[in-house]
Amino acid sequence: MAGKTGRNGQTGEALPKLLVIEDDPGLQTQLKWAWDDFDVTCVGDRDAAIAALRSEEPDVVTLDLGLPPDPDGTSEGFAVLDAIMELKPDTKVIIASGHGAHESVLQAIERGAYDFYAKPVKIEELALIVRRALALRAVERENRTLAAKTGEESRVLGTLITSAPEMVRVARTIERVAPADVSVMLNGASGTGKELLARGLHDASPRRGGAFVAINCAAIPEHLLESELFGHEKGSFTGATTTREGKIELAQGGTLFLDELGDIPLALQAKLLRFLQERTLERIGGRKAIAVDTRIVCATHRDLSAMIAEGTFREDLYYRLAEIVVSIPTLAERPGDAPLLARHFLHKFAGEMNPKVTGFSADALAAIDAWHWPGNVRELENRVKRAVIMADGKLVGAEDLDLAEPDEELANALNLKAAREQADRRVIRHALARSDGNISSTARMLGISRPTLYDLMKQYDLSA
């Protein structure tokens, strides 16, 4: 797109478009020259307004409801507003409000207007409203663009959404070990997506045609866990009215995912070790050895090395299960992923629960990217779900997410230099996330040149 030349004589990027619909020639002139950072078009009636809307496609429109042939009424102005909402509903329309026009303002807002300004016009106040509308329009456009990009290019292992190099490396490691029939241990905090990675490993392996069976060892009472894993014969204990296969048998030819491995009691650890050594099992109350061919993938957020030292986890079982160990970064260690995942969850939940929600406001994106996410992806998903339900308008705001700005990192900085570096790193990461990794946009957002941004990214080991 060709650049526009402002009154300063410089040519740069295309200026945002503002359409002024006003039948007073003097006010048209005043508004047209109020700002030199907009491409302003002025018209005075409905036909000219519709023509300009089609040809210019303005981001923001200021509209006087009193247009000919009804300059003292509102019928013609409302007709123009309705036409704009029908032809280009994402346009931000700011209406003029005369004395005693409160009902007209409310009606205009109900019919799709963004805001209003009072006559006689105060240019400074109107400029503030127009620029705020333009900023919202830009956020909505960015939301749609990035939502469209939250597709295959952001997915690894088939379903895992990420743009962070740290998580991409994890996914590539899993893809490499998937064809090898070895046990894999996933180490990571709660909510980091261990089951999703385990399922991705299964789908990328030769066992994809078999079942993927998951069991959370921490969610099942200790006295029932053995039956869940190994099954039982009819009559083997009170309540065992039928013979039942355990999770290990159900994963025959496929993959068994043992989540929260560290919660398996010692006695059951011995039985699991025996199965791994012999690849046969006996159900509770049974006497027949049953051969089972299943691959074990396990996960834990606990420090198994410390548990081994304490005698609460068997070292020989650990080495049987940890042939390959993959460490999963927290969401806070995956720059750019929080906004990316938030948009994915928003579109998922909006379709189910609140279709009018289309994206996040600028302050919401900033809050999402700045938050430390102690609960990781699970916390993010839950907060976005709540925010979608609670949101009143099209955009989810920071208040809907109920997030506060974290300052622990800066508070714990060793000295002023460290604090400055941490602040620089955080701001650059935020800008990269909000611009979807576009270097030119990020540099403009930060007010620095592209070479300077590249130098800072290299200095702080950041990637776009």
Side-chain angles (χ1 to χ4, degrees):
M1 182 181 292
K4 292 285 184 179
T5 302
R7 289 199 297 275
N8 57 11
Q10 294 180 342
T11 300
E13 295 188 357
L15 299 176
K17 294 185 177 182
L18 171 65
L19 173 60
V20 175
I21 306 174
E22 169 62 59
D23 65 334
D24 182 339
L27 191 52
Q28 279 189 7
T29 302
Q30 185 181 7
L31 294 176
K32 182 176 180 63
W33 295 103
W35 317 285
D36 62 358
D37 51 351
F38 284 88
D39 179 8
V40 183
T41 300
C42 295
V43 297
D45 57 57
R46 190 205 306 192
D47 291 341
I50 301 305
L53 183 76
R54 293 180 183 278
S55 62
E56 299 298 326
E57 296 187 344
D59 298 295
V60 183
V61 172
T62 64
L63 169 62
D64 185 355
L65 294 178
L67 295 175
D70 185 21
D72 297 323
T74 59
S75 60
E76 195 69 6
F78 277 125
V80 173
L81 175 61
D82 291 341
I84 293 173
M85 290 299 100
E86 181 179 355
L87 293 171
K88 201 167 178 286
D90 53 353
T91 304
K92 302 304 172 196
V93 181
I94 305 165
I95 64 165
S97 167
H99 179 68
H102 183 65
E103 290 186 6
S104 296
V105 168
L106 293 180
Q107 187 179 353
I109 298 297
E110 289 177 0
R111 291 164 82 155
Y114 164 71
D115 208 338
F116 67 95
Y117 66 96
K119 283 190 170 184
V121 178
K122 294 182 180 179
I123 294 297
E124 295 79 8
E125 293 180 5
L126 179 56
L128 181 63
I129 298 171
V130 168
R131 289 191 173 91
R132 189 173 63 211
L134 181 66
L136 178 59
R137 181 76 181 86
V139 168
E140 290 178 346
R141 186 184 295 112
E142 179 191 14
N143 277 328
R144 282 194 295 271
T145 301
L146 294 179
K149 289 183 178 180
T150 309
E152 295 305 316
E153 70 272 26
S154 301
R155 294 178 185 266
V156 292
L157 277 179
T159 58
L160 181 68
I161 297 174
T162 185
S163 63
E166 296 85 350
M167 203 62 180
V168 171
R169 282 194 291 270
V170 168
R172 297 297 175 245
T173 299
I174 289 176
E175 287 175 343
R176 284 195 294 270
V177 303
D181 205 13
V182 295
S183 297
V184 177
M185 179 176 291
L186 305 174
N187 284 339
S190 296
T192 49
K194 296 187 288 291
E195 183 170 346
L196 190 63
L197 288 168
R199 188 177 292 275
L201 187 151
H202 169 77
D203 292 340
S205 76
R207 293 178 176 270
R208 68 180 69 89
F212 175 83
V213 180
I215 179 171
N216 188 323
C217 302
I220 300 172
E222 187 173 320
H223 65 284
L224 296 178
L225 186 55
E226 182 179 3
S227 174
E228 284 291 318
L229 282 173
F230 293 91
H232 59 259
E233 297 289 348
K234 180 180 179 180
S236 57
F237 54 85
T238 302
T241 56
T242 60
T243 296
R244 181 182 175 189
E245 295 178 331
K247 298 291 188 184
I248 297 176
E249 278 186 81
L250 292 174
Q252 168 68 33
T255 304
L256 174 68
F257 175 55
L258 298 175
D259 198 7
E260 302 301 350
L261 177 73
D263 288 88
I264 298 179
L266 269 172
L268 194 53
Q269 290 178 30
K271 189 168 183 178
L272 181 59
L273 176 63
R274 189 162 59 250
F275 163 72
L276 292 171
Q277 291 171 334
E278 301 173 3
R279 293 294 169 173
T280 61
L281 59 81
E282 291 182 6
R283 298 176 186 143
I284 297 175
R287 305 199 183 282
K288 182 178 72 171
I290 302 171
V292 179
D293 174 27
T294 182
R295 180 182 194 170
I296 303 292
V297 178
C298 59
T300 182
H301 72 281
R302 302 179 67 174
D303 186 348
L304 294 186
S305 298
M307 293 180 67
I308 292 170
E310 296 167 358
T312 55
F313 197 87
R314 295 182 62 115
E315 186 174 20
D316 46 3
L317 176 61
Y318 173 83
Y319 286 113
R320 280 280 181 178
L321 293 172
E323 293 178 294
I324 300 291
V325 178
V326 181
S327 296
I328 305 170
T330 64
L331 186 54
E333 296 168 335
R334 297 159 52 179
D337 269 10
L340 188 69
L341 287 164
R343 292 184 181 97
H344 167 74
F345 292 137
L346 182 140
H347 290 287
K348 170 186 172 184
F349 295 129
E352 300 170 0
M353 302 172 181
N354 194 351
K356 69 180 180 182
V357 174
T358 60
F360 292 101
S361 66
D363 62 339
L365 286 174
I368 288 169
D369 195 47
W371 190 244
H372 53 292
W373 298 112
N376 293 292
V377 179
R378 189 176 296 121
E379 179 192 356
L380 173 62
E381 182 176 11
N382 291 340
R383 283 191 183 268
V384 172
K385 180 188 288 187
R386 175 189 179 279
V388 167
I389 295 171
M390 298 300 294
D392 292 324
K394 292 182 179 180
L395 299 181
V396 167
E399 66 278 2
D400 299 316
L401 293 161
D402 193 25
L403 294 177
E405 178 68 24
D407 56 6
E408 294 90 342
E409 185 179 356
L410 291 180
N412 295 329
L414 181 63
N415 53 39
L416 185 59
K417 181 175 181 291
R420 187 178 296 118
E421 290 179 354
Q422 289 173 3
D424 286 351
R425 185 188 301 271
R426 177 187 293 178
V427 170
I428 294 170
R429 283 174 53 181
H430 292 179
L432 284 167
R434 291 179 215 173
S435 64
D436 201 32
N438 183 286
I439 297 297
S440 296
S441 298
T442 301
R444 279 198 305 273
M445 192 180 301
L446 295 172
I448 59 178
S449 66
R450 282 167 52 100
T452 300
L453 176 58
Y454 277 121
D455 289 342
L456 289 170
M457 289 172 63
K458 182 177 181 181
Q459 177 183 344
Y460 296 129
D461 193 26
L462 296 176
S463 169

